[in-house]
Amino acid sequence: MTVAQSQLVHAAPDWRNDFPALRQEVNGHPLVYLDSAASAQMPEAVINTVAEYQRHDHANVHRGVHTLSHRATDAFEGARDKIRDFINAASRTEVVLTSGTTESINLVAQSFCRPRLKPGDKILITHLEHHANIVPWQLVCEQTGAELIVAPIDDSGQIEADTLTTLLDQDVFILALGHVSNALGTVNPVREIVAQAKARDIPVLVDGAQGVPHMPVDVQQLGCDFYAFSGHKMFAPTGAGVLYARESLLDAMPPYQGGGDMILEVSFGATVYNELPYKFEAGTPNISGVVGIGAAIDYLQAIGMQRITEYEQHLHNYMVAQLDAIDGIRLIGTAAAKASVQSFLLDDIHAHDLGTILDHQGVAIRTGHHCAMPVMSRMGIAGTARASVALYNSVDDIDRLVEALQKARKLFA
Ligand code: 7TS
């Protein structure tokens, strides 16, 4: 690390104080939380906004004439506006509120793809994907006779760009790929890949679950047609998320689910669907979760996404360098462009044992296949230990991780 880098890394961790869950001891040690890729902690500002909403403003949205229903609707729709601004969607009608990344991808598979796919069509994904960006496509392939094809990755965990280009032929109906790999941390050159696909008129879905919390995202600049993400990975509650979709595509898509709120008029003869985006939001939504996403965006924007990216990049580089210096470590995922996540194995210690020993020292990491089993089989392993950083982590957290790993080595020696 250069002096400037180390100053940056040491300068920022005030943000940690905004997160009450981090002010606790676990198993007799101050908590070091390195599992934000699975779910991030919430800052006080988000917790308070959600609690205030629950205490004073809760009612169902879009239905009541009474004051609380108006307040709930304003809070919910206000959050939609914040999300539109945060990802620079052209219009609020392009922001569909879902339960999270998983539902967003299933919505596209079932509503955009299923009615149009024919036998012989192909859905192109990559070998890096989370199961949420694999299984919905397998389901729709089974339903339609389409074929799922997979762009390979190299030993570092980087998509093989030339092969991807060759695979993007006229039979590809949609390309779906992650922005950042949750298992390996690879940052894909999404803008360039989208440009290639669009030059061949192929729609693109980006799984942004691990992108949005860590870097500025501008869906118009990326040029993608769909962008899916989850609130709980960006410091908001679980069970609420987003599907960004181009309005022209949403307009032509049938509803994903039927129910209240997605209709203008219902009779047994014919039902008239609601306007965008409500056509895709059947039933009472996760109102407080969406309000929480709005508050998380306020929090992130007050710091600035560019600043967060720079801080986290230095922290990530520090983590990789420190881990790499441990005897017996094997880093899994060594692509040139990476964010947040580092997977590894230590000697022949089982990843779950490693996770347990670290937990005894107050260090929280995730172990296993990370819902990306094909990535693990590509690397010839069953699973990894994975440390993932967010804006509230510091070099001290990384030093504690390294200490805990050294202890684990001694225990198993
Ligand atoms: N896509 C990616 C890239 C993810 O990392 C995850 C969750 C999902 C989709 C699914 O998100 P959900 O909010 O709909 O569940 N990833 C992880 C993880 O890495 N560890 O636990 C969950």
Side-chain angles (χ1 to χ4, degrees):
M1 255 196 323
T2 64
V3 174
Q5 278 174 336
S6 102
Q7 277 169 351
L8 221 168
V9 166
H10 283 283
D14 287 359
W15 300 329
R16 180 189 180 92
N17 296 328
D18 299 334
F19 292 80
L22 302 178
R23 286 181 228 136
Q24 63 178 303
E25 295 205 338
V26 168
N27 296 321
H29 302 273
L31 170 64
V32 170
Y33 190 75
L34 293 169
D35 194 22
S36 300
S39 202
Q41 299 299 338
M42 280 187 281
E44 205 120 56
V46 171
I47 296 168
N48 289 344
T49 302
V50 171
E52 281 299 291
Y53 165 79
Q54 302 282 26
R55 280 205 182 94
H56 301 291
D57 303 328
H58 174 66
N60 213 327
V61 289
H62 305 143
R63 312 162 201 239
V65 292
H66 62 80
T67 301
L68 261 58
S69 179
H70 282 300
R71 276 197 227 146
T73 304
D74 288 349
F76 184 75
E77 292 302 329
R80 193 191 309 274
D81 289 327
K82 288 176 189 181
I83 295 164
R84 187 215 64 73
D85 177 64
F86 187 59
I87 58 170
N88 194 31
S91 155
R92 69 194 314 282
T93 56
E94 299 186 322
V95 177
V96 178
L97 299 166
T98 65
S99 66
T101 310
T102 302
E103 186 178 44
S104 297
I105 297 173
N106 277 281
L107 192 165
V108 175
Q110 290 300 315
S111 177
F112 179 67
C113 297
R114 188 175 180 180
R116 295 176 177 81
L117 280 174
K118 311 176 299 299
D121 286 341
K122 295 178 195 161
I123 291 175
L124 176 59
I125 61 171
T126 84
H127 214 121
L128 271 179
E129 305 311 318
H130 184 280
H131 297 164
N133 202 24
I134 301 173
V135 185
W137 308 118
Q138 288 176 324
L139 288 170
V140 78
C141 283
E142 270 170 32
Q143 289 157 345
T144 61
E147 186 193 354
L148 186 68
I149 54 171
V150 183
I153 54 174
D154 65 19
D155 292 342
S156 76
Q158 203 157 293
I159 297 171
E160 290 181 9
D162 293 346
T163 316
L164 177 72
T165 306
T166 325
L167 289 173
L168 276 171
D169 64 29
Q170 82 268 9
D171 293 331
V172 174
F173 180 82
I174 191 168
L175 164 66
L177 84 165
H179 196 161
V180 178
S181 154
N182 73 307
L184 303 182
T186 313
V187 181
N188 290 320
V190 168
R191 199 172 165 186
E192 291 74 12
I193 293 173
V194 170
Q196 276 188 31
K198 301 305 289 182
R200 295 166 175 82
D201 282 330
I202 298 167
V204 183
L205 175 139
V206 179
D207 170 355
Q210 302 290 349
V212 154
H214 304 293
M215 57 195 65
V217 169
D218 179 329
V219 290
Q220 295 189 67
Q221 209 176 58
L222 289 178
C224 57
D225 300 281
F226 302 101
Y227 193 98
F229 57 102
S230 299
H232 70 100
K233 297 195 200 282
M234 52 176 289
F235 318 105
T238 53
V242 177
L243 174 67
Y244 157 78
R246 234 182 249 288
E247 186 173 317
S248 56
L249 299 181
L250 280 181
D251 236 350
M253 285 158 58
Y256 171 53
Q257 292 185 319
D261 229 25
M262 52 73 72
I263 53 84
L264 287 178
E265 208 178 303
V266 176
S267 72
F268 293 122
T271 285
V272 183
Y273 304 133
N274 205 342
E275 61 197 26
L276 295 177
Y278 309 109
K279 184 171 95 175
F280 295 98
E281 295 178 2
T284 302
N286 183 346
I287 306 167
S288 62
V290 170
V291 168
I293 294 178
I297 288 173
D298 288 342
Y299 178 81
L300 290 169
Q301 287 184 328
I303 298 174
M305 286 310 296
Q306 193 54 45
R307 201 169 155 216
I308 292 169
T309 306
E310 282 163 22
Y311 173 68
E312 285 187 13
Q313 198 61 58
H314 291 300
L315 191 59
H316 181 268
N317 293 347
Y318 180 78
M319 170 167 73
V320 174
Q322 296 303 108
L323 287 174
D324 201 25
I326 298 174
D327 283 341
I329 200 120
R330 175 175 163 206
L331 299 182
I332 313 288
T334 50
K338 300 236 343 236
S340 173
V341 164
Q342 185 60 55
S343 265
F344 56 91
L345 290 167
L346 185 58
D347 297 327
D348 52 2
I349 308 172
H350 194 286
H352 290 319
D353 293 337
L354 213 48
T356 306
I357 294 166
L358 263 58
D359 182 55
H360 290 158
Q361 299 172 71
V363 179
I365 60 164
R366 189 178 165 186
T367 61
H369 56 63
H370 315 295
C371 300
M373 290 177 99
V375 175
M376 298 301 131
S377 50
R378 169 63 182 79
M379 297 295 158
I381 52 184
T384 70
R386 179 189 73 178
S388 54
V389 295
L391 58 92
Y392 40 63
N393 291 115
S394 67
V395 283
D396 297 336
D397 291 339
I398 306 303
D399 293 345
R400 287 271 313 280
L401 167 69
V402 171
E403 256 172 58
L405 288 171
Q406 301 284 20
K407 227 177 219 174
R409 271 204 100 205
K410 278 198 194 119
L411 263 170
F412 275 86

